[in-house]
Amino acid sequence: MIVIPAIDLKEGKCVRLEQGLMDKDTVFNDDPAAQALEWQRQGAELLHIVDLDGAFAGEPKNKSAIEAILGAISIPAQLGGGIRDLATIEAYLALGLSRVIIGTAAQRNPDLVKEACTRFPGQIVVGIDAKDGMVAVQGWAEVTDISAADLARKFEGFGVSAIIYTDISRDGMLQGPNLEATRALAEAVAIPVIASGGVSRLEDIENLMAIEKSGVTGVITGKAVYTGAIKLAEAIALTKGNV
């Protein structure tokens, strides 16, 4: 299992939200590139970037910060938020991102995911965010009537590299991940699943490692590593069996 630190961008700054609410943000670093470099220094093998403004606007909004991050690090990075068409995907990959994450557009237009996987093999990730098991879109502002598992099944066979599953009710709350929902999603599809939301302590990562055999191959951590509740280097060492 891989531990992936998150950098959430709002107005060019590195922030964290509570339950996806834009008015409940905490600024952790005015310099996202410096923060990205610090996560790399602590052993991160992959960086998770979210353009929060882009997620709500439906188009890229933090390009300069993203470029600064990519210019600072040598590890791969993946990005989501406001990616709604092939042109945006192509532009982001041209910047040097390793993978892009399609969220809202994946729910509304599964064919976009299929075409993107064909054009950019190995570089497309689907983000599924859910509240009470139901998919949420538009920066989590709208909850749909489709279940996370049903949506995930639509992408089988497309060539999706991974599904990032976020339980909105846990995100930014440090209450622990929704293990049952994460395992159920991972067992519903053959696509690798990355857990996101609620990780607050090393035991949470241990619990996710216990369901790795179900197809949970990674975990994204944000607030916990910013507050020091989890030391990123320790979490990485844990997953590598070095603790």
Side-chain angles (χ1 to χ4, degrees):
M1 177 174 289
I2 183 172
V3 180
I4 310 165
I7 289 187
D8 290 0
L9 298 171
K10 181 184 177 186
E11 297 172 357
K13 298 177 180 178
C14 180
V15 308
R16 290 300 295 168
L17 306 183
E18 286 187 9
Q19 296 181 313
L21 299 173
M22 288 290 270
D23 60 350
K24 289 190 175 182
D25 65 306
T26 302
V27 176
F28 281 104
N29 199 323
D30 289 335
D31 187 345
Q35 186 63 63
L37 198 58
E38 175 60 21
W39 293 147
Q40 176 177 294
R41 188 189 67 78
Q42 291 190 31
E45 300 171 83
L46 175 66
L47 188 68
H48 178 73
I49 309 169
V50 179
D51 178 357
L52 291 171
D53 302 298
F56 280 85
E59 60 184 15
K61 289 290 183 181
N62 280 282
K63 185 180 177 183
S64 60
I66 295 162
E67 288 178 325
I69 290 170
L70 295 175
I73 61 175
S74 57
I75 58 173
Q78 61 186 26
L79 179 136
I83 297 172
R84 306 282 197 269
D85 53 51
L86 288 170
T88 302
I89 294 170
E90 187 169 20
Y92 268 142
L93 292 175
L95 289 180
L97 284 160
S98 297
R99 307 197 298 194
V100 296
I101 303 155
I102 306 176
T104 293
Q107 188 269 332
R108 294 181 173 167
N109 183 14
D111 285 344
L112 171 65
V113 177
K114 187 174 185 178
E115 188 172 352
C117 288
T118 300
R119 287 186 57 178
F120 311 106
Q123 294 184 288
I124 304 301
V125 174
V126 168
I128 297 181
D129 306 328
K131 186 173 185 178
D132 300 323
M134 307 309 286
V135 174
V137 295
Q138 284 297 122
W140 301 350
E142 176 188 334
V143 179
T144 71
D145 59 0
I146 184 172
S147 74
D150 284 344
L151 179 59
R153 291 187 187 99
K154 291 185 178 183
F155 308 117
E156 287 276 35
F158 283 12
V160 172
S161 295
I163 289 173
I164 296 173
Y165 175 68
T166 304
D167 185 306
I168 297 172
S169 64
R170 307 292 182 103
D171 191 70
M173 301 303 290
L174 300 179
Q175 295 176 344
N178 189 330
L179 294 170
E180 285 305 311
T182 303
R183 178 170 61 186
L185 180 66
E187 291 177 347
V189 294
I191 305 166
V193 171
I194 296 171
S196 174
V199 172
S200 61
R201 53 191 184 140
L202 283 177
E203 287 88 343
D204 291 332
I205 294 177
E206 288 180 329
N207 290 336
L208 286 166
M209 289 170 66
I211 60 173
E212 188 170 2
K213 61 183 178 295
S214 296
V216 182
T217 61
V219 54
I220 293 169
T221 176
K223 191 172 185 178
V225 289
Y226 285 97
T227 61
I230 292 177
K231 300 288 190 294
L232 179 61
E234 289 182 15
I236 292 170
L238 174 67
T239 58
K240 293 184 179 298
N242 296 330
V243 173

